[in-house]
Amino acid sequence: MRRLSMTVTVVAVVLAACGGGASTARTKPAAPVTSTLPTVSSSTSSPAGAPVGPVVSGFVAFGDFGGGGAQYAVATAMSQWAAGHRVDALVTTGDNVYPTGEPTLYASELDAPYRALRARRPLWATLGNHDVGAGHGAEELAYLGLLSLPYEKSLPNVQLLFVDANHPDVAQAAWLDAALAKPGPPFRVVVFHQPAWSCGLHGSTPDVDRLWVPVFERHHTALVLNGHDHDYERFTSPGGVTYVVTGGGGQDTYPLIPCTGTPPRDAQAQKHHFTGIEVTARSLTLTAVGIGGAVIDRVVLTR
């Protein structure tokens, strides 16, 4: 499989390098990042990081939202994005229902904020630690009409693989390996809650790094989407895999922390946000969007 090439436009973000090679050690908290660097951009083959060619599918990704004070504001921003961009599905990175995934909260935390968006679109979710806190994870997935984890979904030119990082294990590693080895669309996206890499309060997840990251790297997976840390972070591995923490969906945000043992961190922001994905025949454009529609980060991955 060919590796991804990448063109990047980063807008109004705090940037930081967080060390070089991969490590299975958990990142250690330090003082929060407070400095803001100017806008950074690189030469691109498309104006301002626009998708390369007609958009054939798209979705929005968000996490760590259920019942949060900014949940409705982020939902409004997603609706505004959907008015001008293709959105075929809503994708969550987990912690959908706070505090412990109680079924009595499904209507208020899963349905009401996204009623307009979900009128014509499915919501595809993974589970976070809060979703399973009271043992209702399977019930939540069933409520959304979803299979138990792991499962896969497809849109034109992109395949999404959902796994359960509450229990990162060898069985799911084998499932991922088999799914990514099959012939498929040019872009594969893996979605789970506890992040492979993070410089937030929770940090990287050692078992994910040990068991799953080698699978992503071996198959040159296009994109890995995570939550858990309530911030936005984007890393690029030496093998060209893009790892994104998108955990700003509504709950209080977390401080960003200098750390080591991760791939280089290309972008970061302590902001409520969602991530919009637009797919063409040969590009995947990722745009992190804050409340009010401000672009936090954008990157274009091409095959």
Side-chain angles (χ1 to χ4, degrees):
M1 183 181 296
R2 291 173 297 171
R3 296 195 178 192
L4 292 172
S5 61
M6 185 186 308
T7 57
V8 184
T9 301
V10 179
V11 184
V13 295
V14 182
L15 303 179
C18 286
S23 169
T24 59
R26 191 174 185 83
T27 53
K28 301 297 184 183
V33 175
T34 56
S35 63
T36 301
L37 299 184
T39 297
V40 177
S41 64
S42 65
S43 59
T44 68
S45 58
S46 54
V52 181
V55 174
V56 298
S57 67
F59 61 91
V60 291
F62 57 109
D64 303 271
F65 52 89
Q71 181 176 16
Y72 275 87
V74 175
T76 297
M78 290 195 293
S79 294
Q80 293 168 344
W81 172 268
H85 299 81
R86 180 160 179 169
V87 177
D88 298 307
L90 283 65
V91 172
T92 86
T93 59
D95 278 2
N96 314 311
V97 180
Y98 282 75
T100 56
E102 293 292 344
T104 55
L105 299 174
Y106 292 171
S108 62
E109 298 191 9
L110 292 175
D111 298 339
Y114 315 107
R115 197 173 306 282
L117 283 163
R118 291 183 58 193
R120 293 180 293 123
R121 304 171 180 91
L123 189 152
W124 298 335
T126 192
L127 298 174
N129 51 293
H130 285 276
D131 299 303
V132 303
H136 297 295
E139 191 170 351
E140 182 180 319
L141 293 174
Y143 181 83
L144 295 170
L146 299 170
L147 299 173
S148 60
L149 294 164
Y151 68 88
E152 62 181 85
K153 295 289 185 180
S154 292
L155 295 170
N157 273 20
V158 60
Q159 179 187 40
L160 295 98
L161 304 173
F162 294 80
V163 289
D164 184 2
N166 292 297
H167 307 285
D169 54 19
V170 172
Q172 288 185 99
W175 183 88
L176 285 163
D177 194 33
L180 292 168
K182 294 176 182 176
F187 297 100
R188 312 287 187 98
V189 179
V190 183
V191 185
F192 54 94
H193 185 61
Q194 288 85 348
W197 306 116
S198 176
C199 295
L201 289 182
H202 289 301
S204 304
T205 310
D207 283 346
V208 167
D209 300 343
R210 179 174 60 88
L211 295 172
W212 294 357
V213 165
V215 177
F216 307 148
E217 296 294 326
R218 182 163 62 251
H219 293 287
H220 309 299
T221 306
L223 176 63
V224 176
L225 292 173
N226 303 142
H228 203 38
D229 273 325
H230 299 185
D231 55 38
Y232 176 80
E233 302 177 74
R234 177 167 57 82
F235 303 84
T236 306
S237 74
V241 179
T242 298
Y243 296 84
V244 167
V245 177
T246 179
Q251 288 288 332
D252 291 346
T253 60
Y254 291 172
L256 293 153
I257 295 170
C259 68
T260 59
T262 73
R265 185 167 58 179
D266 302 312
Q268 63 179 54
Q270 186 185 342
K271 293 179 180 292
H272 289 110
H273 71 280
F274 69 92
T275 300
I277 306 293
E278 298 171 279
V279 180
T280 74
R282 59 189 185 92
S283 74
L284 184 153
T285 300
L286 181 151
T287 308
V289 182
I291 293 172
V295 174
I296 295 169
D297 179 40
R298 178 174 288 135
V299 63
V300 181
L301 313 178
T302 57
R303 286 291 191 186

